[in-house]
Amino acid sequence: MAALVSDEQASREPSAGGAGDRVLVTDLDGTLLGGDRTDRRRLRQALDRHPELTVVFATGRSLPSVEGILRGDPLVPSPRWIIADVGASVIDGSDRTGIGPLQDRLRHGWPGQRCVRERLARFPELVYQDGVVQEGRCSFFLRPEQLSESLTDAVRELGCGWTYSADRYFDVLPARASKGNALALLARRQRWRMDSVLVAGDSLNDLSLFQLGARGVLMSNAEAALRERIPDRADVHRPERPGAAGILSALESLGWIERARPLVVGYHRPPVRWADGQWQRPLSPNGVLPTLRGLFSADGPDAVWATALVEDDAPQGTGGGAHGGGAGPRRGGGALPTRSGLPTRPDLPTRPGLPHRTGLPLAFLPVAAAEWTEYFHRACKETLWPALMSQPDRMRYRASAWRHYEAFNARFADHVSAHAARGATVWLHDYNLWLVPGILRATRPDLHLGLFHHTPFPPPDAFARIPTAEQLRDSLACLDWAGFHTAEFAAHFRQVLAGARRAPRTGVHPLGIDRRAVEELARAREVPTARQGRPGPALILSVERLDYAKAPLEKVRAIATLLAQHPELCGELRFRLVCPPPEPGIRVHDGTRAALERAIADLNDRWCTGGWEPVDYVPRALSFGEVVDHYLAADVFWVTSLQDGMNLTAKEFIASHAATGRSGVLLLSRHTGAASQLGAAALLTDPRSPQDLVDTLHRALTMTPSERLAHITRLAALLDDQTPTRWALQIIGAIPRPPRETMKTTGGASEESTASGPSTATTEEAFTR
């Protein structure tokens, strides 16, 4: 499991003794094994992702008893060392063999169990613990009122020591044996400094651990006799919660593990990419990655971004969006994989395990390239994507790829859980993580689970075509809240989950753009030759990644039909298609690309004349500034998605034109989320009707300059000024379950939340640093 990657973590200096010398020494019963399963799971996850932290058990149990716990309880971490038998045994946790020289010193002068039992037989109040394996000690049950000086004097006459704990256990030990003495010998052998050791205990036989000068965590459920014997000291942590939660609290306070957060954002892609020796941010100010990145400002919520990072050294692809700079999950530029999923290039900082600063609290989950291919390129893009696009006939299902989808979601759920504080809000994103809610609900019932769908959500008939539809449905029903760009997609979700045991609340929150950033950039760019009043071909522009759902081939065919039906337009228009390829490895769009390039070549060959060609094809990613230049030069912006979650390029086109006083026409597919906001002013078109595409485009080209100016003015009035960050904060406030909310046990749709969400003040209060 990968560790948290943040500027705070990167700048943290190792503790005295070195990061590799940090040691947790913990009792078992009432301490490591104490608390509920949620807290124990969180502690286990924290220790798993910090292998540099050495775990030592210090217990009154025998080795066979400890081994039984390790076999039967998956939440118990594997110890490097075991101090057993109340300090009479020191065992290598790797091979379970005793450390002879240490045990010989601890057991020096031990008369043996038979002698102890014979000499103490005159005390009938002692009840020997039959059935308990005992090495180097003799253990009895004894009531508190029966602990007498005559008994302890008899033990001393044997040359032995004793401990009494939990008002029940009386242990006769070798004179030199105790948990503290055993730890002191082990620490000297391993060269541990005591200020790099944290001891945790709850019973009186743990007292000797607290007398060594180590840091301590005294359990809130500790017996009164132990609490009375340990004075208030700055180096002894006294947590409010018992057991594992208390140990976690102490480890976080020391900075030995990263602090769990009240808000976890879960998205399969990070908001940065490794290129040219540094982390780089997305170039566009708009979209899910920049929007979520905006949350992590200095005054933003106390949150961490859980994400994947592909472990290979392949170069970063050009996919990830028409703007370029997409924050894909692949680490490129020659970076080599490490256990923590972080690059280890020579130009990175030399401190082990610490990355170049990203400026963000990121929790990277390392993913092998082969696993990513099966999970994302196959299961996500070939099985689920066609259903989302309401084209289930394109679906390709392979059981092996789906097993990788299940495995990735299971790992991601565990990754999220590891970074989520008790009662945290988890904000998941998109279909790539559809199985995570079900896993988290089973393992972390304390969490508040929300998932926002940036893609369309398919109608029930398309969803049902997914071979694993019931598995997905069961998981989605475990959400507390599900969000969508449109009311139609939210309705589809409720229809799919009709009859589920519990119905998540739903919310409609259409994502906008950073309008101010787009407008400022549009005004700042070098103005191309003025379009208004200039003779020459009208520019029709589309900006979209290569995807059959964007209908690029349908557009080229529509241009061909338009020229055939209206030959007078020959030389009077140019269609510019900015269409970068998808992430390398996604094969599902290969056929679309080949057919598109053939159609463009045929069309240009058929109609080219005097240096004019009807189609200008740009099959590469552009910087956002270059995209804005194309927006400003265009007369018509053409969006023909067969299905689309929102489509922010349409909003960017409007904002750039309105900011610079340009006229323009937006041709917008009826099947985009943006159509629900802009449809009252845009020219709506149906890409599933070839003639409608032609007719609507012809209408746009024949509008007068004054009509185009009025058109863009009406569209600009429909753009909201809500910032993406405020949009995100509203959703974060909507996810948590209302107080005393009861789980629904019958089917039916839950009441839909408002798009405005709760006040920002409420959200910030809940997640403040």
Side-chain angles (χ1 to χ4, degrees), residues 59 72 76 104 112 137 147 165 197 272 285 339 346 358 411 454 552 555 560 609 685 752:
T59 177
V76 178
D104 289 345
R137 62 161 170 152
L147 179 62
S165 59
V197 175
V272 291
R339 185 185 185 280
T358 66
R411 290 185 60 211
H454 298 274
K555 278 194 278 265
T609 177
T685 187
E752 186 173 325

Side-chain angles (χ1 to χ4, degrees), residues 416-432:
V416 167
S417 175
H419 291 89
R422 190 179 183 90
T425 292
V426 175
W427 185 15
L428 304 170
H429 292 265
D430 264 344
Y431 67 103
N432 315 87

Side-chain angles (χ1 to χ4, degrees), residues 559-560 563-564 567 570-571 602-609 612-614:
I559 294 289
L563 292 175
C570 181
D602 291 345
L603 179 59
N604 283 339
D605 287 345
R606 167 69 178 83
W607 292 98
C608 67
T609 177
W612 171 81
E613 290 183 332

Side-chain angles (χ1 to χ4, degrees), residues 516-707:
R516 180 177 178 181
V518 174
E519 291 175 340
E520 289 179 351
L521 181 59
R523 295 188 189 106
R525 297 297 292 184
E526 182 178 351
V527 180
T529 303
R531 164 67 49 193
Q532 285 78 10
R534 184 187 93 213
L539 179 60
I540 306 163
L541 177 67
S542 290
V543 179
E544 60 202 21
R545 69 181 181 276
L546 180 67
D547 188 327
Y548 57 77
K550 301 292 185 181
L553 188 57
E554 285 82 348
K555 278 194 278 265
V556 174
R557 290 169 177 165
I559 294 289
T561 302
L562 178 69
L563 292 175
Q565 294 179 359
H566 300 277
E568 71 278 7
L569 293 177
C570 181
E572 297 299 318
L573 62 84
R574 174 172 283 114
F575 172 42
R576 180 170 296 153
L577 176 58
V578 179
C579 190
E583 175 182 309
I586 296 179
R587 302 192 306 242
V588 71
H589 302 303
D590 289 351
T592 299
R593 180 173 186 171
L596 176 64
E597 292 176 348
R598 284 195 304 269
I600 291 173
D602 291 345
L603 179 59
N604 283 339
D605 287 345
R606 167 69 178 83
W607 292 98
C608 67
T609 177
W612 171 81
E613 290 183 332
V615 180
D616 178 14
Y617 180 45
V618 185
R620 60 183 177 84
L622 303 177
S623 70
F624 188 64
E626 292 174 304
V627 171
V628 170
D629 287 343
H630 288 302
Y631 288 153
L632 296 176
D635 296 284
V636 176
F637 192 70
W638 201 14
V639 178
T640 61
S641 304
L642 298 169
Q643 195 74 276
D644 213 335
M646 175 50 65
N647 197 287
L648 298 180
T649 58
K651 298 184 177 185
E652 292 170 348
F653 171 78
I654 297 168
S656 61
H657 273 240
T660 55
R662 281 169 164 74
S663 65
V665 183
L666 173 63
L667 257 67
L668 185 60
S669 167
R670 297 177 181 274
H671 307 292
T672 63
S676 64
Q677 288 184 280
L678 306 174
L683 293 187
L684 295 182
T685 187
D686 188 351
R688 299 170 187 173
S689 169
Q691 190 57 48
D692 184 76
L693 281 178
V694 174
D695 294 342
T696 313
L697 179 57
H698 183 261
R699 179 185 170 191
L701 292 171
T702 56
M703 287 173 68
T704 66
S706 61
E707 288 175 330

Side-chain angles (χ1 to χ4, degrees), residues 365-444:
L365 176 68
V367 182
E371 179 186 357
W372 182 263
T373 294
E374 292 296 311
Y375 154 72
F376 186 70
H377 299 163
R378 304 293 174 262
C380 290
K381 290 301 181 181
E382 296 182 5
T383 301
L384 297 180
W385 188 253
L388 296 171
M389 298 301 111
S390 296
Q391 298 190 54
D393 290 341
R394 291 180 177 266
M395 190 181 300
R396 302 175 189 171
Y397 172 79
R398 290 192 304 159
S400 59
W402 192 254
R403 285 193 293 271
H404 280 85
Y405 182 89
E406 293 172 324
F408 178 88
N409 273 250
R411 290 185 60 211
F412 202 94
D414 191 55
H415 185 54
V416 167
S417 175
H419 291 89
R422 190 179 183 90
T425 292
V426 175
W427 185 15
L428 304 170
H429 292 265
D430 264 344
Y431 67 103
N432 315 87
L433 303 176
W434 268 353
L435 291 181
V436 170
I439 298 168
L440 286 178
R441 182 60 67 208
T443 59
R444 290 291 304 274

Side-chain angles (χ1 to χ4, degrees), residues 101-172:
L102 302 190
Q103 292 188 165
D104 289 345
R105 294 183 64 179
L106 292 167
R107 299 182 186 182
H108 180 75
W110 175 240
Q113 285 189 30
R114 177 179 295 180
C115 178
V116 170
R117 293 185 67 181
E118 289 176 351
R119 296 284 294 273
L120 298 181
R122 59 192 174 97
F123 296 97
E125 61 269 27
L126 288 177
V127 179
Y128 182 72
Q129 293 188 43
D130 283 312
V132 175
V133 177
Q134 303 178 28
E135 289 286 334
R137 62 161 170 152
C138 200
S139 297
F140 301 89
F141 295 115
L142 181 70
R143 293 199 302 270
E145 66 274 13
Q146 295 175 325
L147 179 62
S148 62
E149 286 189 16
S150 59
L151 173 59
T152 56
D153 287 344
V155 172
R156 278 191 288 271
E157 290 172 2
L158 279 167
C160 297
W162 59 274
T163 65
Y164 185 67
S165 59
D167 290 333
R168 186 181 184 191
Y169 301 110
F170 185 78
D171 292 290
V172 179

Side-chain angles (χ1 to χ4, degrees), residues 239-263:
E240 295 181 359
R241 291 185 58 80
I247 298 175
L248 263 175
S249 174
L251 291 171
E252 291 176 351
S253 296
L254 290 172
W256 290 9
I257 64 172
E258 66 276 6
R259 181 173 48 83
R261 307 299 179 103
L263 173 63

Side-chain angles (χ1 to χ4, degrees), residues 292-303 359-361 725 729 764 769:
L292 296 180
R293 183 188 176 100
L295 278 174
F296 296 91
S297 59
D299 58 349
D302 185 6
L360 295 167
T725 298
L729 288 173
E764 292 176 348
R769 292 185 185 277

